[in-house]
Amino acid sequence: WDALSMNRHAHRSCRSQDAFQARSVPGNSVSQMLSLADHATAYYYQKHPFSWKHPQPIDLDLLLMLLTGSNIKMWPLSKDGSVLGMTAHERLTIRMELEDGTVIRDTLLPKDIVVDSSLAGFHNTGVRNFTLAHEIGHQLLRMRYPYQDLPYQIEEDFADIIAVGLLLPERLVRATMALFQFPDTLHYVSRSSLDVNYPRFKDMARHLGVSRRILAYRMKYLNILTSDVPYRHILPLMEIG
């Protein structure tokens, strides 16, 4: 397992939808990681031209194939959900024993990605997409910095940021906003029946295959959402009265 870069924090960051807060990552590092993602999606759009009228989410399986020629596999990675994805940096033979005693043996080639099979259901689309994009982020980091071993948590944070950039390129966000008839900017969105924008915002996140919180923080980074608290569970009390 030492040859694997394992995404042990994806369960917490994806399901809590806090991944794009980027913790204490310096602003210039965020820009550099998003630039890596921008180059990857620009190459994707060279092969599959972008449609402003009919924007579609990035096909991550296709993106990975274009970037690395590698494969995505789905295996049961952990019993407790603590490991949702991993990516190989060299050829590996893996043996896993399931709860019923079934033994799985397989070979991972360099740049292959494995996503936990528990994420196969439709209701896990956002988590699965973020986990897969995060693992592609690890591959992009290795391609960009082939001789540099980053500290574990820094690499995890960087892969999270790249994942957001891969899932939500600026042109895709803005075109999808137009598709769902949003204005160019909003102050914030709120999980409240009083926010008339929220149902469309929820539909927009579903269309893009991402969590609402990740979409909100990406829109905040792009200065589309202008509030310091762009995504709110409830409206402030003073705004309800």
Side-chain angles (χ1 to χ4, degrees):
W1 297 91
D2 291 342
L4 297 175
S5 175
M6 299 182 63
N7 179 7
R8 294 188 180 275
H9 295 288
H11 177 94
R12 182 166 58 209
S13 64
C14 287
R15 293 191 188 275
S16 65
Q17 303 180 27
D18 289 331
F20 194 48
Q21 294 187 40
R23 291 176 282 276
S24 59
V25 177
N28 60 334
S29 296
V30 173
S31 297
Q32 290 173 15
M33 295 307 105
L34 289 175
S35 179
L36 275 180
D38 286 345
H39 280 87
T41 55
Y43 181 68
Y44 173 92
Y45 286 133
Q46 285 180 9
K47 303 297 182 180
H48 297 271
F50 181 76
S51 170
W52 283 94
K53 291 185 177 180
H54 305 286
Q56 296 298 317
I58 296 285
D59 183 330
L60 294 173
D61 297 69
L62 182 57
L63 176 65
L64 181 66
M65 182 60 66
L66 289 172
L67 294 175
T68 69
S70 54
N71 300 304
I72 299 169
K73 302 183 179 184
M74 299 198 80
W75 292 343
L77 293 179
S78 64
K79 296 179 182 179
D80 60 0
S82 60
V83 180
L84 294 185
M86 63 186 187
T87 182
H89 295 309
E90 61 183 57
R91 185 184 178 93
L92 298 166
T93 299
I94 299 297
R95 178 187 183 278
M96 292 176 292
E97 185 172 347
L98 306 184
E99 291 183 355
D100 63 1
T102 302
V103 175
I104 297 177
R105 292 183 177 85
D106 204 346
T107 298
L108 289 181
L109 301 177
K111 301 180 181 179
D112 277 355
I113 286 175
V114 182
V115 175
D116 189 75
S117 54
S118 69
L119 302 182
F122 176 77
H123 64 287
N124 284 321
T125 298
V127 183
R128 181 177 66 251
N129 286 347
F130 190 86
T131 300
L132 178 52
H134 174 103
E135 298 306 333
I136 295 174
H138 281 296
Q139 294 291 356
L140 291 176
L141 284 168
R142 182 57 64 99
M143 293 163 67
R144 178 64 179 83
Y145 306 107
Y147 305 111
Q148 184 173 351
D149 290 327
L150 296 170
Y152 174 79
Q153 191 56 57
I154 290 178
E155 180 165 345
E156 290 299 307
D157 290 347
F158 283 180
D160 277 352
I161 296 166
I162 293 170
V164 175
L166 293 176
L167 291 167
L168 298 170
E170 181 173 0
R171 72 180 85 178
L172 178 59
V173 174
R174 295 190 183 279
T176 309
M177 286 186 67
L179 179 67
F180 284 86
Q181 299 181 333
F182 281 109
D184 292 339
T185 60
L186 295 167
H187 189 47
Y188 63 83
V189 289
S190 170
R191 293 181 63 179
S192 165
S193 60
L194 299 180
D195 186 350
V196 297
N197 291 315
Y198 184 69
R200 282 179 293 139
F201 177 78
K202 184 168 63 173
D203 290 342
M204 178 177 167
R206 185 182 298 112
H207 174 79
L208 293 170
V210 299
S211 75
R212 294 179 289 258
R213 186 172 295 276
I214 288 175
L215 176 57
Y217 275 93
R218 178 59 165 153
M219 292 168 70
K220 169 65 177 174
Y221 185 86
L222 295 171
N223 296 315
I224 295 169
L225 292 176
T226 59
S227 171
D228 290 337
V229 186
Y231 182 70
R232 307 179 184 186
H233 288 274
I234 58 173
L235 287 170
L237 183 60
M238 58 185 287
E239 295 182 25
I240 293 177

